[in-house]
Amino acid sequence: MVKQEITSALEPVEQKLASHGTTTGELEQSANDHNTQLAKLQAKVDALLVMADSLTKKYEDLETCSRWNNIRLVGPPEDTKGPRPTEFVAQLLQDLLGLTEKPVLDWAHRILRSKPRDGEPTFFK
């Protein structure tokens, strides 16, 4: 009789223990799944960081290369360039450098600043 009482008293505890065991197993599986997903996401983040670094280096290289062809002229009088500054600068370079042909220029402009005072140099870029 005592054995039967103990057995009947332990039965709900055993059921709860079995229930907790199932829940623990499900939680472990869920944690493993999340861990796997996290590892995949970390690999993608690492690949994107490498790609971003590569693109940043390419951008900096292109930016540097685009500046190699820039020429800055200091000193031409303000009003001598006429209505077409690109042609004026091409002619000026041909005359100064003794070229047989005018150099091909994409554009020429005065640097953005106020009109220079008398004796102050003019900048062309």
Side-chain angles (χ1 to χ4, degrees):
M1 182 133 154
V2 174
K3 185 177 180 181
Q4 198 176 22
E5 288 178 16
I6 293 175
T7 305
S8 63
L10 286 178
E11 197 172 306
V13 173
E14 288 175 349
Q15 288 176 351
K16 283 210 179 232
L17 186 60
S19 171
H20 287 301
T22 303
T23 304
T24 304
E26 291 171 354
L27 288 173
E28 286 175 353
Q29 182 61 39
S30 180
N32 287 336
D33 291 345
H34 287 134
N35 201 16
T36 303
Q37 289 176 347
L38 205 62
K40 289 178 183 177
L41 289 174
Q42 186 62 46
K44 286 182 181 181
V45 166
D46 291 342
L48 289 172
L49 286 174
V50 168
M51 187 185 304
D53 186 50
S54 173
L55 290 173
T56 300
K57 287 178 182 176
K58 282 183 181 181
Y59 165 76
E60 289 171 355
D61 185 50
L62 287 172
E63 186 73 23
T64 302
C65 289
S66 73
R67 294 174 195 254
W68 286 350
N69 296 325
N70 289 349
I71 296 175
R72 185 172 292 200
L73 303 175
V74 179
E78 172 68 20
D79 295 326
T80 58
K81 66 182 181 293
R84 296 187 183 122
T86 305
E87 288 181 22
F88 168 75
V89 172
Q91 183 64 48
L92 179 67
L93 290 173
Q94 182 183 11
D95 294 343
L96 289 175
L97 300 175
L99 303 173
T100 57
E101 295 180 10
K102 288 183 183 178
V104 177
L105 303 177
D106 291 329
W107 50 270
H109 69 89
R110 190 172 64 81
I111 290 183
L112 296 175
R113 51 183 275 204
S114 61
K115 189 172 181 176
R117 294 174 286 211
D118 290 337
E120 188 177 34
T122 304
F123 291 87
F124 286 94
K125 182 176 179 187

